[in-house]
Amino acid sequence: MRQRGLFDELDRLQELRDLRDPLIILGEKINCESFRKTLKRIRPAKNPDNIRNAGRKPFDEVMMFKVLVLQRLYNLSDDQMEF
């Protein structure tokens, strides 16, 4: 396996844009950050049962929103989405 170069990721993103990758198009067309205010309102800030605040920190609201949109759009199960 060869070592990745400095511009490999940029070149790969350009290839995906040229191929009209649907994820790139969705990212350009939908401003998911505009949903952050609403998502923060419907997601509880803290878990009242978790007194010691133990465990992993929750995932970002916007990232989880993107996952749910893609899951619904491509009809994917939770296991498929995780993979």
Side-chain angles (χ1 to χ4, degrees):
M1 179 180 227
R2 74 178 185 98
Q3 187 175 359
R4 290 176 39 165
L6 183 60
F7 297 105
D8 285 350
E9 187 171 340
L10 292 175
D11 293 341
R12 180 66 181 142
L13 285 175
Q14 188 58 47
E15 284 179 34
L16 291 173
R17 280 191 188 93
D18 294 343
L19 293 172
R20 306 286 298 153
D21 185 84
L23 295 179
I24 299 291
I25 295 170
L26 282 172
E28 292 171 351
K29 301 283 184 187
I30 301 173
N31 180 12
C32 291
E33 283 297 322
S34 64
F35 296 100
R36 185 174 295 279
K37 184 177 175 184
T38 304
L39 293 170
K40 280 209 179 274
R41 234 183 315 135
I42 60 176
R43 183 178 185 182
K46 292 187 177 184
N47 183 357
D49 298 332
N50 190 359
I51 297 169
R52 293 192 179 109
N53 202 16
R56 181 183 357 181
K57 299 294 180 207
F59 290 109
D60 180 56
E61 298 92 3
V62 175
M63 196 250 332
M64 289 305 297
F65 175 69
K66 289 178 183 180
V67 167
L68 291 173
V69 168
L70 291 174
Q71 192 173 13
R72 180 68 179 192
L73 186 64
Y74 291 105
N75 197 25
L76 299 171
S77 69
D78 289 340
D79 290 335
Q80 288 172 316
M81 199 65 212
E82 185 177 341
F83 177 74

